Amino acid sequence: GYYIMERRKVSLNEVEAALVQAYRANPKLAVVIRADRNDKFGRVSDVFDLCDKHGIQNVGYSTRKEK
């Protein structure tokens, strides 16, 4: 699978690198994770795990209401 960051498809390694860089620049970084409704929770969990691994504590999950 892949992830989308800033409208680009990226790998989990690229997500991790971007999170680390952003957190170093701003220790108050807030991360919001959104998932496709058809996606399994595993990919979302992977991003939560990365945030935990690097000490990023301000992490949330967002869903979109079906239209």
Side-chain angles (χ1 to χ4, degrees):
Y2 61 89
Y3 301 82
I4 303 288
M5 287 186 67
E6 299 180 12
R7 300 178 189 206
R8 291 185 317 118
K9 287 183 184 181
V10 296
S11 70
L12 186 59
N13 288 338
E14 290 171 299
V15 171
E16 182 172 22
L19 285 172
V20 169
Q21 181 180 11
Y23 185 60
R24 284 182 182 157
N26 177 12
K28 294 181 181 181
L29 178 69
V31 175
V32 177
I33 302 168
R34 287 190 308 185
D36 182 296
R37 72 181 194 103
N38 296 320
D39 196 16
K40 299 201 183 322
F41 190 73
R43 289 191 201 132
V44 172
S45 179
D46 290 344
V47 177
F48 274 110
D49 289 346
L50 288 176
C51 290
D52 185 53
K53 174 182 173 182
H54 294 288
I56 302 169
Q57 297 177 355
N58 191 0
V59 182
Y61 180 75
S62 173
T63 59
R64 290 186 186 180
K65 185 176 180 178
E66 293 274 337
K67 290 185 179 185

